[in-house]
């Protein structure tokens, strides 16, 4: 009997072809929606491997339902959707997909920063709707990026890549991290100093119990009235209602969000009513090349686990 691999969302044929030659691959057939919870639990009963998405909640209930499970390979760098304590208890390996998405996520981060600063989405809508009547001296004016101060919260590989891009814009770059780094032309700042002095605060830290809700009303009140908050990490790091109030009351100038606490974000979410918010559907790593490289890491980990070889990118 071949080991069973269950994939919780439809992936390109080329991403699963090699696994299909050796294992019984079962894959949820929908590309735009993940497998329902009941399907995940049903397939977990027989699966030897789960290939999961960041939208899948892999908790103790899943592990308890899966007596044959050897590995969960998560298509993401983050793995806050997986209960690592439960995985360890059941002797299940958990892997992620680091490194290969660094550059694409940094590109998107800077694109979101620029779009927010220069009101790109708002201006594009004005053209399409016919609201653009003529050039005006202060029409669609945004904020300078070149020469501004960038504050990065979470200076990992993606943070470094964003800093490299910021140097090309002549930005003054600050960062705050659990550990100080020896980085050229980038200065460490205490958390409060970074918030108070940055024109753009970019969140790139993982979602952990320590970082959950780390940007709330108190922190937003420290920021400049002309500042923008950019979040491409995880939605739970920012108190969304506090952000809504800060933007509505013009405590800060704008926000660019690629992530939300609930995804997809509800269409009636208050943040979506504000013109000074640029929103994206969690596409930080969404290039063809990057996503295929991430999938290759997942498949490689599953194969290594079944072949009793060293498994790369283990988080548990």
């Amino acid at each position: 009997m071949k080991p069973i691999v269950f994939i919780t969302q439809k992936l390109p044929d080329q991403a699963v072809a090699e696994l299909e030659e050796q294992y019984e691959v079962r894959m949820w057939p929908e590309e735009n929606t993940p497998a329902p919870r009941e399907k995940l639990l049903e397939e977990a009963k027989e699966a030897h491997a789960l290939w999961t998405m960041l939208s899948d909640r892999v908790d103790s209930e899943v592990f308890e339902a899966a007596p044959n499970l050897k590995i969960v390979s998560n298509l993401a760098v983050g793995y806050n959707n997986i209960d690592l304590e439960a995985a360890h208890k059941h002797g299940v390996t958990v892997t992620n997909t680091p490194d290969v998405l660094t550059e694409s996520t940094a590109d998107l981060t800077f694109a979101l920063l620029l779009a927010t600063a220069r009101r790109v989405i708002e201006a594009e809508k004005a053209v399409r709707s016919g609201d653009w009547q003529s050039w005006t001296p202060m029409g669609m004016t945004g904020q300078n990026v070149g020469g501004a101060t960038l504050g990065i919260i979470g200076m990992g590989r993606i943070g470094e890549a964003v800093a490299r891009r910021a140097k090309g814009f002549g930005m003054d770059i600050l960062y705050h991290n659990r550990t100080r780094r020896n980085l050229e032309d980038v200065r460490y700042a205490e958390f409060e100093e970074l918030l108070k002095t940055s024109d753009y605060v970019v969140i790139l830290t993982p979602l952990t119990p320590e970082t959950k809700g780390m940007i709330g009303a108190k922190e937003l009140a420290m920021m400049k009235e002309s500042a923008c908050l950019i979040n491409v990490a995880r939605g739970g790091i920012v108190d969304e209602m506090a952000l809504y109030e800060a933007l509505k009351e013009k405590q800060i100038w704008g926000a660019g969000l690629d992530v939300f606490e609930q995804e997809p974000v509800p269409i009636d979410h208050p943040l979506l009513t504000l013109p000074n918010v640029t929103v994206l559907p969690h596409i930080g790593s969404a290039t063809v090349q990057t996503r295929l490289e991430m999938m290759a890491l997942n498949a490689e980990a599953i194969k290594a686990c079944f072949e009793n070889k060293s498994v790369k990118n283990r988080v548990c």
Side-chain angles (χ1 to χ4, degrees):
M1 179 180 172
K2 293 182 178 181
I4 298 169
V5 179
F6 178 59
I7 306 173
T8 62
Q9 203 155 335
K10 182 175 174 56
L11 301 179
D13 293 342
Q14 67 196 92
V16 300
E18 193 171 352
L19 289 183
E20 288 178 326
E21 293 175 1
Q22 303 175 61
Y23 314 114
E24 181 181 339
V25 176
R26 303 175 181 178
M27 183 162 56
W28 179 246
E30 299 294 331
E31 185 175 358
N32 297 319
T33 56
R37 177 73 176 178
E38 57 271 20
K39 182 64 174 177
L40 173 60
L41 291 170
E42 176 189 335
E43 293 289 350
K45 293 176 182 178
E46 296 185 347
H48 298 85
L50 293 176
W51 187 340
T52 56
M53 314 297 134
L54 58 84
S55 53
D56 297 310
R57 179 166 50 89
V58 186
D59 54 14
S60 58
E61 184 182 21
V62 174
F63 290 111
E64 288 167 6
N68 304 318
L69 191 61
K70 297 181 67 176
I71 184 170
V72 176
S73 196
N74 203 44
L75 186 63
V77 172
Y79 42 86
N80 55 288
N81 58 309
I82 300 173
D83 186 334
L84 297 186
E85 185 176 336
H88 181 74
K89 176 182 175 182
H90 288 83
V92 177
T93 296
V94 177
T95 70
N96 66 341
T97 59
D99 302 338
V100 295
L101 49 65
T102 297
E103 300 301 327
S104 57
T105 304
D107 285 345
L108 189 281
T109 301
F110 219 82
L112 182 56
L113 185 155
L114 287 167
T116 304
R118 297 302 304 271
R119 301 170 66 180
V120 170
I121 305 301
E122 191 180 353
E124 195 261 0
K125 288 179 179 177
V127 174
R128 290 185 181 276
S129 67
D131 289 340
W132 181 35
Q133 298 298 315
S134 68
W135 184 91
T136 57
M138 295 301 289
M140 289 293 171
T141 49
Q143 298 289 338
N144 283 343
V145 174
T149 298
L150 173 67
I152 299 174
I153 299 175
M155 183 56 83
R157 292 183 180 89
I158 297 171
E160 288 186 47
V162 170
R164 288 197 302 272
R165 287 152 176 78
K167 289 177 186 178
F169 281 76
M171 300 184 84
D172 182 24
I173 307 165
L174 310 176
Y175 79 95
H176 182 78
N177 206 47
R178 287 181 298 180
T179 55
R180 297 197 184 199
R181 309 283 305 281
N182 185 20
L183 301 169
E184 187 177 353
D185 299 325
V186 178
R187 182 171 68 84
Y188 175 85
E190 294 297 338
F191 187 55
E192 290 191 7
E193 179 194 355
L194 183 148
L195 293 174
K196 290 176 179 178
T197 59
S198 297
D199 298 299
Y200 300 92
V201 174
V202 175
I203 301 171
L204 291 168
T205 187
L207 176 61
T208 66
E210 293 72 31
T211 63
K212 184 174 175 59
M214 74 182 298
I215 303 294
K218 175 184 174 184
E219 292 73 25
L220 292 163
M222 295 180 190
M223 294 173 61
K224 298 179 180 180
E225 288 186 3
S226 58
C228 297
L229 179 73
I230 309 297
N231 189 7
V232 290
R234 288 293 185 268
I237 297 168
V238 177
D239 181 333
E240 292 178 346
M241 291 312 298
L243 177 59
Y244 168 75
E245 291 296 333
L247 289 162
K248 186 181 70 169
E249 299 302 323
K250 295 184 170 45
Q251 281 185 307
I252 65 173
W253 190 82
L257 308 173
D258 185 42
V259 290
F260 296 87
E261 189 161 13
Q262 180 183 337
E263 295 183 355
V265 62
I267 194 66
D268 60 351
H269 194 295
L271 281 169
L272 302 189
T273 67
L274 299 176
N276 53 342
V277 182
T278 302
V279 293
L280 299 175
H282 203 148
I283 59 170
S285 63
T287 68
V288 173
Q289 297 86 346
T290 295
R291 290 289 169 85
L292 289 176
E293 288 186 64
M294 292 168 67
M295 293 171 196
L297 291 182
N298 289 135
E300 180 184 336
I302 291 169
K303 284 184 61 182
C305 183
F306 286 156
E307 295 170 5
N308 294 316
K309 296 179 180 178
S310 176
V311 179
K312 297 179 182 178
N313 304 317
R314 289 185 62 154
V315 295
C316 173

